[in-house]
Amino acid sequence: MSADVDVVVAGGGPAGLLLASELRLGGAEPVVLERLPAPTGLSKALVLVGRVVQALDYRGLLERLGAGSVPAAAYSRFAHLGGIPLDVSRLIESAPPGYFPAPVPARQARVEAVLEARARELGADVRRGHELAGLSQDQDAVTVEVRGPQGTYRLRARYLVGCDGAHSLVRKQVGIGFPGTAPTQLHWLGEVTLAEADLGRLPQRIERTATGLFTTVPLGGGVHRIVVSEWTQPPEHADRDIPPTIEELRAAVRRVTGIDLAMRQPRWLSRFTDAARQADRYRAGRVLVAGDAAHIQLPAGGPGMSTALQDVLNLGWKLAAQVKGWAPPGLLDSYHAERHPAGQRMLSFVRAQGVLLSPGEHVTALRELMSELLTHEQTLRYVVDRLLGLDVRYAMGGAGPAHPLVGGWAPDLPLRAPGGHTRLATLMRGARPVLLDLTADSRLRAAAVGWTDRVQTTVARSDEPLEGILVRPDGYVAWVAAPGDHNTVRLRHALQQWFGVAG
Ligand SMILES: Cc1cc2nc3c(=O)[nH]c(=O)nc-3n(C[C@H](O)[C@H](O)[C@H](O)COP(=O)(O)OP(=O)(O)OC[C@H]3O[C@@H](n4cnc5c(N)ncnc54)[C@H](O)[C@@H]3O)c2cc1C
């Protein structure tokens, strides 16, 4: 039996909604199933930081967020490694322009609204109030059972992607393992109105006490986000489905800080832990997982949504290529090969931060050592690169030594093209691979002529010492020609490796 749709995306959170747009840009037909009939309006993440900011810019989504950006140096106000402040502004002076993306104050609810509008505008079928209830796969397709407002129905799709969050039914039903570390910390979260008199005694940054942690973030309109963390083993109330009460939150604040904080009008009460787990494979046949369905972690440094969005930017064009029939062998499997190690590295970094945040004299000694190390610019740069996900590289060079840019993020090159000034970010908006010919001789274009149906070729001038660069749709560099490099064999190899045989 043939499939009804190309791809079913389970879950209309940030990962599922961005994936739907990427699939549409790649020419595939996705259906997004989201069990919530309407958005909750609540935001776990409050700000976008790091590589994901540049990645969203490469799709023209930053301007849609309308959040404006703040200077990159402002990141120093809240950047920390497990509560140890990081002076990012010190690094910015010595870094190339644009190296550090400016933080974007965008709440998750706003990000989701923009992503949903974009997915619908591109023609994605987003079905709210439709819950994925079960699935099975055979050689040709995946059959999903959906509970919708009008009853239960079935859909057959060529592929299914589980973007259905931490408790992913998709992951469980296809038997993808979720190994990792069990919780050691319990974090209480409340968005509440505080008494005027208490505002003066709130700490400005994370406060580490003898028994836990306390953080507040003003959200405007007199509302504050309070996060209070306790180290208990095993954590009590680890069941996140039972919301805490405001009295429990108040008591936790009292236990950790000794302060009795009057709070009222809770608009959100929740709890989370530091459990850190990762799917042992991101693909099982015709089923893939991305975002929180593939990894969960403490939100230290805000890696969750950023990693989720970068997962689907890596996956979207590959899955669309698979569906459209031009994917070279192994392209879809490169999603696991590239994003699983990136997720593993992020989890390891978050676990380290979890330790630095914990109470106790031994940890205090470790923090002192780390603080001293962070006075060295090289160490600071290393840590900030990891925190912002600027260190992610993929193995792409092929045989022999490759240009240092290959496998890394493509910098947003200012370009002089026949039509006027432009930049790489503008060329990336359609999620197509981009071959920049910076020599204005026809050699590179001649070598790539068999791929013009898939690869966008642009002739331009740049001040960088480069003759050509091939950028994948996810913004990573697949090939570079340095000055004097007239060998197009590597270019043809990269084109074939990522975009299939010449047409
Ligand atoms: C307190 C807190 C603060 C955070 N702060 C940050 C931060 O500052 N920066 C950051 O980057 N990240 C942060 N995160 C993490 C971030 O919120 C998550 O990583 C992000 O939401 C992951 O997106 P997702 O789309 O993968 O999953 P989710 O956002 O969980 O979306 C999954 C969606 O799937 C739907 N769904 C589930 N099951 C089904 C089903 N069977 N059928 C249909 N639909 C289904 C759900 O309703 C949901 O809409 C924070 C998290 C917490 C808890």
Side-chain angles (χ1 to χ4, degrees), residues 202-245:
L202 296 177
Q204 294 303 303
R205 279 188 180 254
I206 295 174
E207 179 164 288
R208 193 169 151 265
T209 73
T211 56
L213 277 182
F214 179 72
T215 323
T216 53
V217 184
L219 298 178
V223 178
H224 278 72
R225 173 177 290 188
I226 289 181
V227 179
V228 58
S229 317
E230 292 183 286
W231 271 250
T232 56
Q233 211 162 7
E236 300 159 64
H237 306 298
D239 183 358
R240 287 175 59 186
D241 293 336
I242 307 167
T245 62

Side-chain angles (χ1 to χ4, degrees), residues 64-150:
R64 285 171 181 251
L65 280 170
S69 84
V70 290
Y75 186 48
S76 292
R77 283 207 301 271
F78 58 92
H80 63 89
L81 172 74
I84 302 170
L86 297 171
D87 184 3
V88 181
S89 57
R90 244 182 74 197
L91 297 176
I92 290 173
E93 288 148 27
S94 57
Y99 180 83
F100 289 107
V104 175
R107 297 194 183 165
Q108 186 163 336
R110 172 83 188 132
V111 174
E112 287 173 12
V114 165
L115 294 178
E116 181 164 347
R118 178 65 175 149
R120 288 185 190 276
E121 179 186 301
L122 290 169
D125 180 355
V126 182
R127 301 184 187 177
R128 285 201 159 269
H130 292 244
E131 179 175 14
L132 178 124
L135 65 103
S136 60
Q137 60 171 323
D138 54 48
Q139 250 190 333
D140 305 320
V142 186
T143 305
V144 299
E145 196 173 307
V146 187
R147 261 196 299 269
Q150 260 81 54

